[in-house]
Amino acid sequence: MHRSLLACLALLLPTLEAQGRDEHAAAMKAKEALTAFDSGRFEEALSLYRAAHDLAPLPTISFAEARCLEELGRIEEALVAARRALAEGPSKDLKSRIVKKIAYLEERMKTGRLVIKATPAGAEVLLDGNPLGRAPVEPVEVERGYHRVTVRTSGQNEATQVVEVRGGRESIVEVSMREPSGRLSVKAPVPNADVFVDGKFAGQAPAIVEALQPGPHRVEVRLPGRSPVVEVAEVRDGDTTSIEIEAPSGGPRAWYKSSFGWSLAGAGIAGLATGAILLGLAASDRDEVKSALDARSPLGPSQQELRDKWDRADRMATAGYVVTSLGGAATVASIVGFAVNAKRSSQTAWIPACVGQSCALSVRF
């Protein structure tokens, strides 16, 4: 780039002398402009080149002005200066370079540079729905036109802004999102009860939950020996919402108040008793058969009668074992029923049916 401008300047000085214009002042301005350009002081160089052009409106100066504008990112103005240089009758070599520069600048005009200033740091940044990364993000080249910039922190907390990007220019959009400041205070009738907010453990009661989004939140308090109590709390931005969980009505049920357990116990006892009777009758019949066989009396029962009586005893014994097993199972089930009843609570648990509208469903156990 430096050599290109030196070449333009070399063409510029004899042209100024030949045309008899205020060549000395224009040449001095052009030299100063080149020094500023070479040092990266593009605004200063632009101002000096424009002053030189006012003294001597030559295509070499207009072309140098276009280069300054390009470095400054002002592509649209650079294109205007390059086209002006082409109209000022440049030499064949300079004209070729100007034509190439115009084609390049026209291509650059199809896109623009977008600078996104997003806060807070670490927030997710999306451009037209596509993720760019987390703030801060680097500037991006995009097609000219309208673009949607979204900054998202957590959950549904996001802010969106539409920005117009002009071709060949730098557009800056600032999207700031304040961190949520809602607070929730949860108290419970039992100290150290576990508190959950929106399914996440928030500590033990009494608990203070910070940085909540405004709107409804599901609060669950787990009390020892009782069913969880769930309520919906409406949190306001910048304010503290207090919720106090009341002690559930009634205490834990006594184990002996389980009607289901007593029903099973009754069935179990009846089964055990019936089974015992059947086994006793079977044993008695078998003893009688054994005694008759030992006596071998001609006046006693026949062999067929004894065989039938023995078979009947076997059937009663089988039935006795089955009924006894069922009675034992029912007895064990009754014990489980009593144990379950001892852990259950007579409270009402509030289960939210639609958290978004703060409604709840009451279910009594």
Side-chain angles (χ1 to χ4, degrees), residues 179-194:
E179 287 291 339
S181 58
R183 300 172 76 246
L184 180 63
S185 172
V186 182
K187 296 181 180 179
V190 180
N192 301 325
D194 291 337

Side-chain angles (χ1 to χ4, degrees), residues 57-316:
L58 297 176
T60 48
I61 299 179
S62 294
F63 184 63
E65 181 183 337
R67 297 292 298 274
C68 288
L69 289 165
E70 180 186 356
E71 291 295 330
L72 291 170
R74 294 154 63 176
I75 306 302
E76 189 174 4
E77 295 178 67
L79 185 58
V80 171
R83 287 171 176 168
R84 186 180 69 224
L86 186 62
E88 288 172 339
S91 64
K92 183 178 180 181
D93 179 62
L94 182 58
K95 180 179 180 180
S96 175
R97 283 184 288 171
I98 293 174
V99 169
K100 291 180 180 180
K101 179 60 65 177
I102 289 175
Y104 170 75
L105 293 175
E106 287 178 340
E107 189 66 26
R108 286 282 306 274
M109 283 294 294
K110 296 178 181 179
T111 63
R113 190 167 186 260
L114 179 60
V115 178
I116 301 175
K117 297 181 179 180
T119 54
E124 184 182 9
V125 180
L126 299 95
L127 178 61
D128 298 325
N130 300 314
L132 283 182
R134 296 194 174 274
V137 294
E138 295 293 328
V140 291
E141 287 288 330
V142 297
E143 293 183 358
R144 64 183 179 184
Y146 290 92
H147 295 271
R148 188 176 71 258
V149 178
T150 301
V151 175
R152 180 184 299 159
T153 53
S154 58
Q156 300 300 318
N157 188 29
E158 64 180 38
T160 300
Q161 189 168 331
V162 176
V163 57
E164 182 183 8
V165 177
R166 299 185 63 179
R169 292 192 179 185
E170 181 179 88
S171 301
I172 300 175
V173 59
E174 297 185 12
V175 185
S176 299
M177 176 167 290
R178 182 172 54 86
E179 287 291 339
S181 58
R183 300 172 76 246
L184 180 63
S185 172
V186 182
K187 296 181 180 179
V190 180
N192 301 325
D194 291 337
V195 177
F196 293 80
V197 177
D198 298 328
K200 297 180 180 179
F201 180 68
Q204 293 183 322
I208 300 292
V209 187
E210 306 277 356
L212 289 176
Q213 296 292 340
H217 292 268
R218 183 180 186 272
V219 181
E220 177 182 349
V221 177
R222 299 179 182 177
L223 305 173
R226 303 176 185 270
S227 298
V229 178
V230 182
E231 293 191 9
V232 176
E234 188 73 25
V235 175
R236 297 177 295 275
D237 191 24
D239 197 4
T240 300
T241 301
S242 298
I243 179 173
E244 185 169 355
I245 305 297
E246 298 180 356
S249 57
R253 293 179 181 176
W255 66 269
Y256 53 83
K257 292 185 177 181
S258 172
S259 58
F260 180 69
W262 281 118
S263 298
L264 288 175
I269 294 173
L272 291 173
T274 302
I277 292 172
L278 291 173
L279 290 173
L281 292 173
S284 177
D285 286 349
R286 286 172 178 170
D287 288 341
E288 290 180 6
V289 172
K290 290 179 181 180
S291 297
L293 290 174
D294 291 340
R296 296 182 179 180
S297 173
L299 300 177
S302 65
Q303 291 293 322
Q304 184 62 42
E305 290 176 336
L306 292 176
R307 189 179 297 110
D308 291 342
K309 193 169 187 176
W310 186 269
D311 291 341
R312 185 172 64 251
D314 283 345
R315 289 193 295 271
M316 281 194 297

